[in-house]
Amino acid sequence: MRVEIWSDIACPWCYVGKARFEKALAAFPHRDRVEVVHRSFELDPGRAKDDVQPVLTMLSRKYGMSEAQAQAGEDNLGAQAAAEGLAYRTRGRDHGNTFDLHRLLRFAKEQGRQDELIQLLYRANFAEERSLFTEGDERIVELAAEAGLDADAARAVLADPERYADEVRADEREAAQLGATGVPFFVLDRAYGVSGAQPAEVFSQALTQAWGDRSPLTVIDQDDAQACGADGCAVPQH
């Protein structure tokens, strides 16, 4: 079974939702047969790469709330993250464009290191003092290397704005086609969708239902069909 997760590194509920989903997946009896793929979704796609703001300023302007209200929301998120065993800085974080991060995650997927990289990016954005957005590409390259990627290869991806750009945009178009208006958005075997950072119990129910509802493969066969198998290939004698 395949689970696709549309998310954004700038999305705190994606950070929390990933932990809740993984808790459910760890307890799922068929977890070894579940493939998890991370898909791209930008919460702020129109933001310029050099436009970096404090999170509280961004929230106040985007949602028309006071900074006190924005801070209360951050404090609540910090408590939610802590309940999942996640570190979360409720003060001093910033917000910026995530398109390059999504491009690098596509590269990491090809290298089989996507989950490692996305977790490090989440940690850097939500739990660490160093910024993902103001220290330049070398900060991101450091994280890529920590995730097991070749640093020079990661640096080359970041230096070329067209590398994996089409793949990221395709993910975002597909999210719209599937009806995702926000993230995190989980799609199980293209049959079930789970929206938001639901409790682990909801993910457990979704995994169980999606697994049980999988359609068995119908095989059309004939006794004299020619095929290769574990014992070799049958060769016609006449």
Side-chain angles (χ1 to χ4, degrees):
M1 183 167 69
R2 169 181 278 204
V3 178
E4 298 163 277
I5 307 174
W6 272 265
S7 60
D8 192 6
I9 298 303
C11 165
W13 287 118
C14 297
Y15 179 47
V16 173
K18 182 176 185 292
R20 291 175 176 172
F21 170 76
E22 288 174 347
K23 184 181 295 182
L25 183 61
F28 185 56
H30 310 289
R31 60 187 178 278
D32 293 338
R33 297 176 63 187
V34 178
E35 176 192 13
V36 178
V37 178
H38 297 282
R39 301 283 191 196
S40 301
F41 190 106
E42 292 175 275
L43 290 174
D44 203 354
R47 180 175 291 273
K49 184 175 180 178
D50 60 353
D51 184 3
V52 180
Q53 288 181 315
V55 165
L56 295 186
T57 301
M58 180 275 295
L59 291 172
S60 297
R61 292 178 179 176
K62 186 171 183 177
Y63 299 107
M65 62 176 66
S66 68
E67 287 207 2
Q69 290 172 317
Q71 185 60 68
E74 283 291 283
D75 291 340
N76 176 58
L77 277 162
Q80 298 269 2
E84 304 303 330
L86 300 172
Y88 191 99
R89 293 180 65 232
T90 60
R91 304 290 192 278
R93 292 196 308 108
D94 57 18
H95 175 81
N97 182 285
T98 58
F99 190 72
D100 285 348
L101 304 180
H102 286 295
R103 292 195 302 108
L104 193 62
L105 282 165
R106 293 296 303 211
F107 168 67
K109 181 178 182 296
E110 289 185 354
Q111 307 301 311
R113 310 300 293 178
Q114 189 184 45
D115 194 69
E116 290 82 357
L117 180 59
I118 198 169
Q119 191 60 36
L120 288 170
L121 292 174
Y122 277 140
R123 185 193 73 189
N125 188 46
F126 293 108
E128 297 181 354
E129 290 188 14
R130 296 178 63 190
S131 172
L132 273 179
F133 305 110
T134 61
E135 293 196 22
D137 288 349
E138 283 308 304
R139 168 66 173 139
I140 303 170
V141 170
E142 287 178 17
L143 295 168
E146 188 177 342
L149 297 170
D150 180 81
D152 288 337
R155 190 176 291 110
V157 170
L158 292 170
D160 182 354
E162 296 305 315
R163 289 277 301 277
Y164 303 100
D166 289 344
E167 289 86 344
V168 171
R169 295 186 182 109
D171 273 358
E172 294 175 338
R173 287 194 300 270
E174 195 165 12
Q177 292 165 1
L178 290 169
T181 57
V183 286
F185 188 69
F186 301 77
V187 177
L188 290 73
D189 259 0
R190 291 299 171 107
Y192 294 90
V194 178
S195 181
Q198 300 287 346
E201 294 77 11
V202 174
F203 288 120
S204 294
Q205 293 168 8
L207 286 165
T208 299
Q209 186 168 353
W211 183 268
D213 287 354
R214 291 176 309 141
S215 299
L217 184 68
T218 300
V219 179
I220 299 174
D221 196 4
Q222 293 181 348
D223 291 339
D224 59 351
Q226 298 169 353
C228 295
D231 297 324
C233 300
V235 179
Q237 300 300 310
H238 302 290

